[in-house]
Amino acid sequence: MRKKIGLTLVAISLLCSALMAQSGGEATYSFLRLPVSARASALGGEAVGLWDNDAGLVLQCPSLMNASTTKQLSLAYISYYADISYGSIGLVYDFGKLGTMAFGLSGINYGSFDAADEVGNITGSFRASEYFANISWARPINERFQFGASFKPVYSALESYVSYGFALDMGTTYHSTDSLFAATLMFRNAGTQVKTYTGEREPLPSEVVAGVSLKMRHAPFRILATFDQLQDMNVYFKRPEKNTDPFATGETTTKSQSAVERFGNEVLSHTTAGVEFNPLRGFYLRGGYSFRRRNELKLVDRPAMVGFSWGFGLKIRRLMFNYARSNYHISGGSNVFSVTVNLGERR
């Protein structure tokens, strides 16, 4: 057992070193960051610390898989802005002592675009889409720790530019024996392009993520907190504010911040919070909040509900329906629909 734990820690350390060396800025295959699970979307977009028998969370974190998710088929559809759509399908199967595995396919379709020459003459149209497959594996280290990893081949076709590569997720989840508390540390989207678009190699959207969840023993609540982009301690964006000087020319100003205020905003920029309420058996209400999403995407004059998300879940026998609404901008948000079918459960 000590040997298994030691090998796991070595693998995680090597992967962590690789992630620390990668850029935290612009990256290719950015669609890998999009939340596919409606449940995770409703909880703010992240739920890597949620220990439950939900096969839809595999793409969030492979170490969340366990034997109770076997024979679950999950399907999801996401409607974004400007007719952009995203979908996924996955199947989980438990192989006993060999561990639990999941196989799936996800893809995003950006739609059709007008093609034009250098002076703006329309010459036709083109399409753009990206896909990735996932082969995931998870196995208990002991009765409280679970290790998981996902190998994700990626294919991207943007007009005549084609690229393909692969990404790797790896994580370890701790869960209490009563499953009320869970905590996860994972490394997401480490990998490389095998074929570049134009000969210039670009980094993948790699990141270090941690998450915790706590389910109340005597109340129908579960609270979650996820901390992403932990490899970069400088993600907070200080928004410029409107100049209140009546004699100003309309330029914006940026107020100075104290060290304590700056540190607090930095911590919040890494944090996503969510809560799940289970008032009736088989029925769930969910809500989430992302400080960074709200800070970066809101309009100063009309912040509205940017950064907030909500949703619900309904379990009917072998079927679990989930819906989520995430607000990215005042003009609207994304809608996520998913269904999970337990193929092994009797009626």
Side-chain angles (χ1 to χ4, degrees), residues 13 55 60 101 110 116 164 166 196 202 213 216 257 287 310 327 346:
S13 298
Q60 280 278 302
M101 296 192 69
Y110 298 105
Y164 50 84
F166 65 88
T196 64
E202 302 170 82
S213 68
M216 306 302 176
Q257 293 181 314
W310 62 274
N327 295 301
R346 296 182 179 179

Side-chain angles (χ1 to χ4, degrees), residues 108-165:
I108 185 167
N109 179 19
Y110 298 105
S112 179
F113 300 84
D114 291 331
D117 59 22
E118 61 274 10
V119 295
N121 296 317
I122 302 299
T123 60
S125 63
F126 65 92
R127 302 188 67 83
S129 57
E130 297 180 288
Y131 305 89
F132 76 89
N134 69 286
I135 304 171
S136 304
W137 171 80
R139 192 174 187 275
I141 299 175
N142 56 37
E143 64 176 1
R144 296 190 180 184
F145 284 90
Q146 177 103 342
F147 174 78
S150 292
F151 176 70
K152 301 187 295 189
V154 184
Y155 175 81
S156 175
L158 309 176
E159 203 254 345
S160 60
Y161 300 94
V162 174
S163 173
Y164 50 84

Side-chain angles (χ1 to χ4, degrees), residues 174-194:
Y174 165 85
H175 59 93
S176 59
T177 53
D178 56 11
S179 297
L180 295 179
F181 175 79
T184 294
L185 175 64
M186 70 169 298
F187 308 97
R188 180 186 289 165
N189 297 327
T192 185
Q193 287 179 294
V194 176

Side-chain angles (χ1 to χ4, degrees), residues 2 7-8 23 28 44-45 51 57 61 80 99 109 156 163-165 217 224 229 238 242 244 255 269 302 310 315 321:
R2 290 182 179 178
L7 290 174
T8 300
S23 170
T28 190
W51 180 259
L57 297 174
C61 179
Y80 282 107
N109 179 19
S156 175
S163 173
Y164 50 84
R217 185 181 298 275
L224 300 93
Q229 298 293 331
K238 180 63 178 75
K242 286 188 175 181
T244 57
K255 296 180 180 179
S269 295
R302 298 183 62 190
W310 62 274
K315 188 178 190 307
F321 298 93

Side-chain angles (χ1 to χ4, degrees), residues 27 31 52 92 102 113 136 159 222 254 257 276 288 303 312:
F31 77 109
D52 202 0
V92 177
F113 300 84
S136 304
E159 203 254 345
R222 189 198 304 264
T254 301
Q257 293 181 314
E276 186 172 67
F312 63 86

Side-chain angles (χ1 to χ4, degrees), residues 26-345:
E26 297 297 325
T28 190
Y29 307 153
S30 294
F31 77 109
L32 293 173
R33 289 177 172 153
L34 297 176
V36 179
S37 164
R39 189 177 185 185
S41 296
L43 293 168
E46 292 283 4
V48 301
L50 206 170
W51 180 259
D52 202 0
N53 60 337
D54 186 352
L57 297 174
V58 172
L59 293 180
Q60 280 278 302
C61 179
S63 61
L64 297 179
M65 280 193 303
N66 54 74
S68 64
T69 59
T70 188
K71 296 182 181 180
Q72 287 190 15
L73 175 68
S74 62
L75 302 98
Y77 174 78
I78 302 95
S79 173
Y80 282 107
Y81 301 91
D83 296 327
I84 297 175
S85 57
Y86 188 17
S88 73
I89 182 171
L91 176 66
V92 177
Y93 193 87
D94 181 62
F95 290 91
K97 293 183 178 180
L98 296 178
T100 306
M101 296 192 69
F103 309 89
L105 179 66
S106 303
I108 185 167
N109 179 19
Y110 298 105
S112 179
F113 300 84
D114 291 331
D117 59 22
E118 61 274 10
V119 295
N121 296 317
I122 302 299
T123 60
S125 63
F126 65 92
R127 302 188 67 83
S129 57
E130 297 180 288
Y131 305 89
F132 76 89
N134 69 286
I135 304 171
S136 304
W137 171 80
R139 192 174 187 275
I141 299 175
N142 56 37
E143 64 176 1
R144 296 190 180 184
F145 284 90
Q146 177 103 342
F147 174 78
S150 292
F151 176 70
K152 301 187 295 189
V154 184
Y155 175 81
S156 175
L158 309 176
E159 203 254 345
S160 60
Y161 300 94
V162 174
S163 173
Y164 50 84
F166 65 88
L168 178 67
D169 297 345
M170 186 180 296
T172 299
T173 296
Y174 165 85
H175 59 93
S176 59
T177 53
D178 56 11
S179 297
L180 295 179
F181 175 79
T184 294
L185 175 64
M186 70 169 298
F187 308 97
R188 180 186 289 165
N189 297 327
T192 185
Q193 287 179 294
V194 176
K195 181 184 183 301
T196 64
Y197 294 105
T198 60
E200 181 179 353
R201 196 171 299 278
E202 302 170 82
L204 269 63
S206 306
E207 61 176 327
V208 182
V209 187
V212 295
S213 68
L214 176 63
K215 186 176 182 180
M216 306 302 176
R217 185 181 298 275
H218 301 295
F221 287 96
R222 189 198 304 264
I223 56 176
L224 300 93
T226 305
F227 311 94
D228 63 356
Q229 298 293 331
L230 293 179
Q231 81 287 351
D232 185 356
M233 292 295 106
N234 189 32
V235 301
Y236 171 65
F237 171 64
K238 180 63 178 75
R239 293 179 60 92
E241 299 181 7
K242 286 188 175 181
N243 197 329
T244 57
D245 183 353
F247 300 101
T249 59
E251 297 178 353
T252 57
T253 60
T254 301
K255 296 180 180 179
S256 60
Q257 293 181 314
S258 66
V260 174
E261 185 179 5
R262 173 76 193 190
F263 176 76
N265 286 326
E266 187 65 42
V267 172
L268 290 174
S269 295
H270 290 273
T271 306
T272 300
V275 61
E276 186 172 67
F277 177 45
N278 181 205
L280 302 171
R281 184 177 180 180
F283 180 67
Y284 303 84
L285 292 172
R286 306 176 181 115
Y289 175 71
S290 170
F291 174 87
R292 186 168 74 246
R293 184 190 301 170
R294 183 170 179 82
N295 179 54
E296 294 178 353
L297 300 179
K298 71 179 181 181
L299 297 180
V300 176
D301 295 333
R302 298 183 62 190
M305 295 298 291
V306 174
F308 288 90
S309 57
W310 62 274
F312 63 86
L314 181 63
K315 188 178 190 307
I316 305 175
R317 295 186 178 181
R318 297 189 300 170
L319 300 177
M320 182 69 192
F321 298 93
N322 289 302
Y323 168 78
R325 171 79 173 181
S326 299
N327 295 301
Y328 292 90
H329 191 266
I330 191 173
S331 62
S334 68
N335 298 290
V336 187
F337 306 87
S338 68
V339 59
T340 301
V341 185
N342 193 329
L343 302 177
E345 184 177 290

